Amino acid sequence: MVSSIVPAMPAFDANGTPYSPHYGDIYHSAESGPGQARHVFLGGNGLPQRWAGTNVFTIVETGFGLGLNFLETWQAWRADPARPQRLHFVSVEKHPFTRAGLAVLHAAYPEFAPLAAELQNAWPLPLPGLHRLHFEDGSVTLSVYFADVADALPKLRLAADAFFLDGFAPTAIPACGSRR
Ligand SMILES: C[S@@+](CC[C@H](N)C(=O)[O-])C[C@H]1O[C@@H](n2cnc3c(N)ncnc32)[C@H](O)[C@@H]1O
């Protein structure tokens, strides 16, 4: 059965870190969202070194959230002369922000401003299912699946080169894995 999607609304904790009242957890470490994306997710997967010279590199993420992992990955791809010809980033999100919500949240990360604006412009309505967004003349694809991971992951047919397991605390969403 396909359930309708309930979008997330931007909210912040006392330190100004994006926070989910629904899950009772923050979206990224209090120190830095981009820093966490760089060190935990890219670095933890040996990226960008491990994608050097490949034709296609596919990353599967649980929990798109603000899209900081995607933006950091896209930025690293742009900066890397040995980047893969194609980058495919697949992410599953049960409670996506709306385009307006992303714009509010992304304002805190000026280092991503041009890419965040492109992402916001392409961002789909919160309708269930798979949405495919193309950037960089088709060299970068974001497949964002609005669904529960438990429903979406068994339906994906792909060969993943890296996983970004970025759920909230394991007690909140055991199915998504966690960085903490
Ligand atoms: C820590 S945040 C992800 C942060 C994100 N990767 C980023 O770069 O901004 C965890 C995300 O998992 C999503 N989530 C929680 N339970 C889920 C589930 N069962 N299926 C899919 N997404 C889920 C939440 O809505 C939230 O956006």
Side-chain angles (χ1 to χ4, degrees):
M1 195 188 76
V2 177
S3 324
S4 61
I5 293 296
V6 178
M9 300 291 287
F12 302 89
D13 72 2
N15 298 319
T17 306
Y19 172 80
S20 167
H22 180 71
Y23 289 106
D25 203 354
I26 47 177
Y27 278 86
H28 59 67
S29 70
E31 291 75 38
S32 162
Q36 177 177 291
R38 215 160 29 247
H39 298 299
V40 177
F41 294 102
L42 284 163
N45 274 286
L47 299 174
Q49 297 82 359
R50 202 161 61 78
W51 69 27
T54 58
N55 291 329
V56 184
F57 198 90
T58 302
I59 297 172
V60 174
E61 176 184 65
T62 55
F64 188 78
L66 286 69
L68 298 185
N69 287 344
F70 171 65
L71 291 168
E72 186 67 42
T73 304
W74 182 7
Q75 192 146 283
W77 179 90
R78 284 172 68 95
D80 186 0
R83 62 180 167 254
Q85 286 173 25
R86 290 201 60 237
L87 173 66
H88 190 190
F89 195 100
V90 182
S91 188
V92 183
E93 177 54 61
K94 186 174 184 179
H95 297 294
F97 290 104
T98 62
R99 176 181 297 180
L102 284 181
V104 169
L105 293 159
H106 288 165
Y109 312 93
E111 61 269 56
F112 293 139
L115 301 187
E118 276 196 63
L119 174 61
Q120 290 158 28
N121 286 338
W123 193 243
L125 293 170
L127 299 172
L130 189 63
H131 305 266
R132 192 154 284 179
L133 317 182
H134 298 289
F135 305 99
E136 307 283 356
D137 294 324
S139 296
V140 174
T141 300
L142 169 62
S143 296
V144 63
Y145 203 145
F146 292 162
D148 193 295
V149 279
D151 298 324
L153 289 184
K155 295 189 180 127
L156 294 177
R157 294 286 175 270
L158 51 76
D161 299 297
F163 288 95
F164 290 2
L165 302 178
D166 195 11
F168 286 123
T171 46
I173 45 168
C176 282
S178 177
R179 64 194 182 274
R180 286 166 289 176

